[in-house]
Amino acid sequence: MNKIVVGLSGGVDSSAAAAILHHQGYEVVGLTLWLMKGKGQCCSEGMVDAAKICEDLGVPHHIVDSREVFQASIVDYLVEGYSAGVTPLPCSQCNKTVKFGPMLKYAREELGIEKIATGHYARITYDAATGRYQLLRAIDPAKDQSYFLYDLTQDLLAGTEFPLGEITKTETRKIAAEFGLTTADKPESQDLCLVESNGSMRAFLDKYIAPQKGDIVDKSGRVLGQHDGVHHYTIGQRKGLGIAAPEPLYVIELDAAGNRVVVGDRQLAVESECTVQKVNWVSVAAPAAPIRAQVQIRYRSHPVPATVIPLETAGEEKAGGTRVKLIFDEPQLSITPGQAAVWYDGDVLLGGGIIERNQLPN
């Protein structure tokens, strides 16, 4: 009988994934990572629900204390980024460093099981011609989570199954109800686990970063208002600036060193290109020449056509590894340093990385 370890958060998606695999004849072992204290699907209540699912399915359930690695890899990562004036994307970092990597390692070394599965909405295929595993968008475009998985390695893709990649969220809830899972009607998490646990991202950050009043200025340095912490803002932000102006203003730079928030009109908030660091080529090997692709610069943004240009990496490994330049066919609003840029060929995720900070336009 095939054995597989299923990562269980206590939500309906991971529960349904476990039930589907169990129904297909897999010998399922549930695994829940304890990421932090407090409420939230990944924490105490999630562990209770995950344990109940395993009890109902009649399968073993393991809990691994991952709070230390979560603190170092995610909490500290977020605090450092916001303190420096960038807006980090924790989910992709968490998927590779905290979840998939450690789960597969635990499955293989502690349980002697070669495969893991999660409730993510994405698909994995194998291309025999190139000898590479490919990461594809999920069938359900509204739930596709491939954007957050761009940093997975070939080894992680080889050892992972996504049972929900071929079905919709509606079908997932129907399956969960048919199996009588207690999570079938559980509300979906609407935000980051840290936000869910702390009430807001602002509240989370204020636990670690002391508010510091400073100036909100225009590009020429003219003071337009006051802020109570650069970490409360993000590039492209338009609402909540507290500034009266004849036209909408956007955050165009976060000057952490000078404790200034720089704002400008829409023309200053759009850019035609950006550079991306820490690039991971997923479904294809790193190209030597520019390629055309459809690029997403945010999870909920529509993919837009762009040229992906590999940059020289000599001497740059210590500064973030492989880099590319993205040149968009049309200028894009709110290209945010710290967020992920991910590029596709249709449904196939080619690669992705972290958007670097650009210099303020002259």
Side-chain angles (χ1 to χ4, degrees), residues 47 134 140 159 186 242 257:
M47 287 191 285
Q134 295 186 325
D140 186 347
K186 186 173 181 178

Side-chain angles (χ1 to χ4, degrees), residues 202 216 232-243 247-251 261 263-264 333-334:
R202 185 187 185 97
I216 299 177
H232 291 149
Y233 298 82
T234 185
I235 298 295
Q237 180 177 333
R238 182 171 67 86
K239 297 181 180 180
L241 300 181
I243 300 172
E247 59 183 342
L249 294 177
Y250 300 79
V251 175
V261 175
V263 298
L333 178 67
S334 305

Side-chain angles (χ1 to χ4, degrees), residues 96-113:
K96 178 184 178 181
T97 308
V98 179
K99 294 181 179 177
F100 285 80
M103 282 199 318
L104 189 58
K105 185 174 187 289
Y106 184 88
R108 289 173 172 173
E109 296 183 1
E110 301 297 328
L111 303 176
I113 299 174

